[in-house]
Amino acid sequence: MTAAEDGFGRGAGSGPEGPIGLDTLVRLQRRRPATEAPRRLPMPEGMTVPLGCDAVAVPDRLGPLVVPRLPRLGCVYADGTHWWWIVPADSDHALRWPAPAHYAPGALITGTVRLIHRPDGTVPYTPPIPLYLALCRATGTPPDWSRAVSA
């Protein structure tokens, strides 16, 4: 068996110059950028999360359309491509958030964010139902409960 063969006598693959050896595969793996481990959105000093903490992200083009429709604005973060709202844990229970929104349990994200709004008080939450309705309105998506139920 050659170095290019797997443990079963088959070739491991080949490129334009012939078979790819194990050494080449190891070097390629080492060159891959390391994936950043998800981490929780940072809470501003003095904020508490008595109801747990999840987050809802939307593309940054939708953020300015959502804000005026909210009765209360909690912590809002931006990362250059998305706006992130802090909501109580399990705010996705029996609720499908409209695309292109992304629901992040535990408020786990990758990348760098900056706080763009901090509310008065000690809780960071944006009320989830008004946020959901504002996102439905901004995306042209009917709320789940208003859709016809098929028999």
Side-chain angles (χ1 to χ4, degrees), residues 105-139:
L108 296 176
I109 62 153
T110 58
T112 304
V113 296
R114 73 184 192 299
L115 183 66
I116 59 174
H117 182 268
R118 178 195 168 130
D120 294 332
T122 60
V123 292
Y125 305 124
T126 294
I129 297 301
L131 177 59
Y132 172 82
L133 292 171
L135 287 171
C136 285
R137 176 78 108 162
T139 61

Short mmCIF file of all heavy atoms in Angstrom, two decimals, residues 105-139:
data_model
loop_
_atom_site.label_atom_id
_atom_site.label_comp_id
_atom_site.label_asym_id
_atom_site.label_seq_id
_atom_site.Cartn_x
_atom_site.Cartn_y
_atom_site.Cartn_z
N PRO A 105 -30.18 31.04 21.01
CA PRO A 105 -30.34 30.65 22.41
C PRO A 105 -29.05 30.92 23.20
O PRO A 105 -27.95 30.70 22.69
CB PRO A 105 -30.62 29.14 22.34
CG PRO A 105 -31.10 28.90 20.94
CD PRO A 105 -30.40 29.93 20.10
N GLY A 106 -29.22 31.42 24.41
CA GLY A 106 -28.06 31.74 25.23
C GLY A 106 -27.34 33.00 24.80
O GLY A 106 -26.32 33.36 25.36
N ALA A 107 -27.87 33.69 23.79
CA ALA A 107 -27.25 34.90 23.24
C ALA A 107 -25.81 34.64 22.83
O ALA A 107 -24.92 35.46 23.02
CB ALA A 107 -27.35 36.07 24.21
N LEU A 108 -25.58 33.44 22.26
CA LEU A 108 -24.24 33.06 21.82
C LEU A 108 -23.97 33.58 20.42
O LEU A 108 -24.77 33.38 19.51
CB LEU A 108 -24.07 31.55 21.86
CG LEU A 108 -24.17 30.91 23.23
CD1 LEU A 108 -24.09 29.39 23.13
CD2 LEU A 108 -23.10 31.44 24.17
N ILE A 109 -22.84 34.24 20.28
CA ILE A 109 -22.45 34.83 19.00
C ILE A 109 -20.98 34.55 18.74
O ILE A 109 -20.24 34.15 19.64
CB ILE A 109 -22.69 36.35 18.98
CG1 ILE A 109 -21.82 37.03 20.05
CG2 ILE A 109 -24.14 36.68 19.18
CD1 ILE A 109 -21.47 38.44 19.73
N THR A 110 -20.56 34.76 17.51
CA THR A 110 -19.14 34.80 17.18
C THR A 110 -18.88 36.19 16.63
O THR A 110 -19.79 36.87 16.16
CB THR A 110 -18.76 33.73 16.14
OG1 THR A 110 -19.55 33.92 14.98
CG2 THR A 110 -18.97 32.33 16.68
N GLY A 111 -17.67 36.63 16.69
CA GLY A 111 -17.34 37.94 16.17
C GLY A 111 -17.39 39.01 17.25
O GLY A 111 -17.60 38.74 18.42
N THR A 112 -17.21 40.23 16.80
CA THR A 112 -17.14 41.39 17.70
C THR A 112 -18.39 42.23 17.54
O THR A 112 -18.82 42.51 16.43
CB THR A 112 -15.90 42.24 17.36
OG1 THR A 112 -14.75 41.40 17.43
CG2 THR A 112 -15.74 43.39 18.32
N VAL A 113 -18.96 42.63 18.66
CA VAL A 113 -20.15 43.49 18.64
C VAL A 113 -19.87 44.75 19.46
O VAL A 113 -18.97 44.77 20.28
CB VAL A 113 -21.38 42.76 19.22
CG1 VAL A 113 -21.78 41.58 18.37
CG2 VAL A 113 -21.17 42.36 20.66
N ARG A 114 -20.68 45.75 19.19
CA ARG A 114 -20.63 46.96 20.01
C ARG A 114 -22.04 47.28 20.45
O ARG A 114 -23.01 47.06 19.70
CB ARG A 114 -19.97 48.11 19.26
CG ARG A 114 -20.80 48.72 18.17
CD ARG A 114 -20.02 49.80 17.40
NE ARG A 114 -20.84 50.60 16.54
CZ ARG A 114 -21.56 50.18 15.52
NH1 ARG A 114 -21.59 48.91 15.21
NH2 ARG A 114 -22.27 51.01 14.78
N LEU A 115 -22.17 47.77 21.65
CA LEU A 115 -23.46 48.16 22.19
C LEU A 115 -23.89 49.47 21.54
O LEU A 115 -23.14 50.44 21.56
CB LEU A 115 -23.35 48.34 23.71
CG LEU A 115 -24.61 48.66 24.48
CD1 LEU A 115 -25.58 47.49 24.44
CD2 LEU A 115 -24.26 49.00 25.93
N ILE A 116 -25.08 49.48 20.91
CA ILE A 116 -25.55 50.71 20.28
C ILE A 116 -26.73 51.33 21.03
O ILE A 116 -27.08 52.47 20.78
CB ILE A 116 -25.89 50.51 18.78
CG1 ILE A 116 -26.98 49.46 18.57
CG2 ILE A 116 -24.64 50.16 17.99
CD1 ILE A 116 -27.45 49.34 17.13
N HIS A 117 -27.34 50.56 21.95
CA HIS A 117 -28.37 51.12 22.81
C HIS A 117 -28.38 50.39 24.14
O HIS A 117 -28.37 49.17 24.19
CB HIS A 117 -29.76 51.00 22.18
CG HIS A 117 -30.82 51.63 23.04
ND1 HIS A 117 -31.53 50.92 23.98
CD2 HIS A 117 -31.24 52.91 23.12
CE1 HIS A 117 -32.36 51.74 24.60
NE2 HIS A 117 -32.20 52.95 24.09
N ARG A 118 -28.37 51.19 25.20
CA ARG A 118 -28.48 50.65 26.56
C ARG A 118 -29.69 51.30 27.20
O ARG A 118 -29.78 52.53 27.26
CB ARG A 118 -27.24 50.96 27.37
CG ARG A 118 -27.36 50.44 28.79
CD ARG A 118 -26.33 51.02 29.72
NE ARG A 118 -26.70 50.68 31.08
CZ ARG A 118 -25.89 50.14 31.95
NH1 ARG A 118 -24.65 49.89 31.62
NH2 ARG A 118 -26.32 49.87 33.16
N PRO A 119 -30.62 50.49 27.69
CA PRO A 119 -31.81 51.07 28.31
C PRO A 119 -31.51 51.58 29.72
O PRO A 119 -30.50 51.22 30.33
CB PRO A 119 -32.77 49.89 28.38
CG PRO A 119 -31.87 48.70 28.52
CD PRO A 119 -30.66 49.03 27.70
N ASP A 120 -32.39 52.42 30.23
CA ASP A 120 -32.32 52.80 31.63
C ASP A 120 -32.71 51.58 32.45
O ASP A 120 -33.43 50.71 31.98
CB ASP A 120 -33.29 53.95 31.93
CG ASP A 120 -32.90 55.23 31.20
OD1 ASP A 120 -31.69 55.42 30.94
OD2 ASP A 120 -33.80 56.04 30.89
N GLY A 121 -32.25 51.51 33.66
CA GLY A 121 -32.61 50.40 34.52
C GLY A 121 -31.56 49.30 34.50
O GLY A 121 -30.44 49.48 34.02
N THR A 122 -31.96 48.13 35.02
CA THR A 122 -30.99 47.04 35.19
C THR A 122 -31.29 45.79 34.37
O THR A 122 -30.57 44.82 34.48
CB THR A 122 -30.92 46.63 36.68
OG1 THR A 122 -32.21 46.18 37.09
CG2 THR A 122 -30.45 47.79 37.55
N VAL A 123 -32.36 45.80 33.57
CA VAL A 123 -32.65 44.62 32.73
C VAL A 123 -32.45 44.98 31.26
O VAL A 123 -32.85 46.05 30.82
CB VAL A 123 -34.06 44.04 32.98
CG1 VAL A 123 -34.15 43.44 34.37
CG2 VAL A 123 -35.13 45.05 32.77
N PRO A 124 -31.85 44.06 30.50
CA PRO A 124 -31.47 44.37 29.12
C PRO A 124 -32.50 44.00 28.06
O PRO A 124 -32.25 44.13 26.87
CB PRO A 124 -30.23 43.48 28.93
CG PRO A 124 -30.54 42.28 29.75
CD PRO A 124 -31.28 42.81 30.97
N TYR A 125 -33.67 43.54 28.48
CA TYR A 125 -34.60 42.92 27.55
C TYR A 125 -35.39 43.90 26.69
O TYR A 125 -35.87 44.92 27.16
CB TYR A 125 -35.62 42.06 28.29
CG TYR A 125 -35.02 41.02 29.19
CD1 TYR A 125 -35.35 40.98 30.54
CD2 TYR A 125 -34.14 40.08 28.70
CE1 TYR A 125 -34.81 40.03 31.38
CE2 TYR A 125 -33.59 39.11 29.53
CZ TYR A 125 -33.93 39.09 30.87
OH TYR A 125 -33.39 38.15 31.69
N THR A 126 -35.57 43.52 25.43
CA THR A 126 -36.58 44.11 24.56
C THR A 126 -37.76 43.15 24.66
O THR A 126 -37.58 41.93 24.57
CB THR A 126 -36.08 44.19 23.10
OG1 THR A 126 -34.98 45.10 23.05
CG2 THR A 126 -37.18 44.65 22.16
N PRO A 127 -38.98 43.66 24.85
CA PRO A 127 -40.13 42.74 24.93
C PRO A 127 -40.23 41.90 23.65
O PRO A 127 -40.26 42.44 22.55
CB PRO A 127 -41.33 43.67 25.08
CG PRO A 127 -40.76 44.95 25.60
CD PRO A 127 -39.38 45.04 25.02
N PRO A 128 -40.27 40.56 23.79
CA PRO A 128 -40.19 39.71 22.60
C PRO A 128 -41.40 39.77 21.68
O PRO A 128 -41.23 39.69 20.45
CB PRO A 128 -40.00 38.30 23.17
CG PRO A 128 -40.44 38.38 24.59
CD PRO A 128 -40.24 39.79 25.03
N ILE A 129 -42.61 39.89 22.20
CA ILE A 129 -43.78 39.90 21.30
C ILE A 129 -43.80 41.17 20.45
O ILE A 129 -43.97 41.09 19.22
CB ILE A 129 -45.10 39.69 22.08
CG1 ILE A 129 -45.11 38.31 22.74
CG2 ILE A 129 -46.31 39.87 21.16
CD1 ILE A 129 -44.96 37.13 21.77
N PRO A 130 -43.60 42.37 21.03
CA PRO A 130 -43.51 43.55 20.14
C PRO A 130 -42.35 43.45 19.14
O PRO A 130 -42.49 43.87 18.00
CB PRO A 130 -43.31 44.71 21.11
CG PRO A 130 -43.95 44.25 22.38
CD PRO A 130 -43.66 42.78 22.44
N LEU A 131 -41.22 42.87 19.56
CA LEU A 131 -40.09 42.69 18.64
C LEU A 131 -40.50 41.75 17.51
O LEU A 131 -40.24 42.03 16.33
CB LEU A 131 -38.86 42.17 19.37
CG LEU A 131 -37.63 41.87 18.52
CD1 LEU A 131 -37.16 43.11 17.76
CD2 LEU A 131 -36.50 41.30 19.38
N TYR A 132 -41.14 40.65 17.85
CA TYR A 132 -41.61 39.69 16.85
C TYR A 132 -42.55 40.37 15.86
O TYR A 132 -42.40 40.23 14.64
CB TYR A 132 -42.31 38.52 17.55
CG TYR A 132 -42.99 37.56 16.62
CD1 TYR A 132 -42.27 36.57 15.96
CD2 TYR A 132 -44.35 37.65 16.38
CE1 TYR A 132 -42.90 35.69 15.09
CE2 TYR A 132 -44.98 36.77 15.51
CZ TYR A 132 -44.26 35.80 14.87
OH TYR A 132 -44.87 34.93 14.01
N LEU A 133 -43.52 41.11 16.36
CA LEU A 133 -44.49 41.78 15.48
C LEU A 133 -43.81 42.84 14.61
O LEU A 133 -44.15 42.98 13.43
CB LEU A 133 -45.62 42.39 16.30
CG LEU A 133 -46.55 41.37 16.97
CD1 LEU A 133 -47.50 42.07 17.94
CD2 LEU A 133 -47.30 40.56 15.93
N ALA A 134 -42.86 43.58 15.17
CA ALA A 134 -42.14 44.58 14.39
C ALA A 134 -41.32 43.91 13.28
O ALA A 134 -41.26 44.43 12.15
CB ALA A 134 -41.23 45.41 15.30
N LEU A 135 -40.72 42.77 13.59
CA LEU A 135 -39.97 42.05 12.56
C LEU A 135 -40.89 41.49 11.48
O LEU A 135 -40.56 41.52 10.30
CB LEU A 135 -39.15 40.92 13.19
CG LEU A 135 -37.92 41.36 13.97
CD1 LEU A 135 -37.31 40.18 14.72
CD2 LEU A 135 -36.90 41.99 13.05
N CYS A 136 -42.05 40.98 11.90
CA CYS A 136 -43.03 40.51 10.91
C CYS A 136 -43.42 41.64 9.97
O CYS A 136 -43.47 41.47 8.75
CB CYS A 136 -44.27 39.95 11.61
SG CYS A 136 -44.03 38.32 12.36
N ARG A 137 -43.68 42.82 10.54
CA ARG A 137 -44.08 43.97 9.74
C ARG A 137 -42.95 44.39 8.79
O ARG A 137 -43.18 44.62 7.60
CB ARG A 137 -44.45 45.12 10.66
CG ARG A 137 -44.79 46.38 9.93
CD ARG A 137 -46.15 46.31 9.38
NE ARG A 137 -46.96 47.20 10.18
CZ ARG A 137 -48.11 47.65 9.81
NH1 ARG A 137 -48.62 47.27 8.67
NH2 ARG A 137 -48.78 48.44 10.57
N ALA A 138 -41.72 44.45 9.30
CA ALA A 138 -40.59 44.89 8.49
C ALA A 138 -40.25 43.90 7.37
O ALA A 138 -39.74 44.30 6.33
CB ALA A 138 -39.36 45.11 9.38
N THR A 139 -40.54 42.62 7.59
CA THR A 139 -40.22 41.61 6.58
C THR A 139 -41.42 41.22 5.72
O THR A 139 -41.30 40.41 4.81
CB THR A 139 -39.67 40.33 7.24
OG1 THR A 139 -40.65 39.78 8.12
CG2 THR A 139 -38.37 40.61 7.99
#
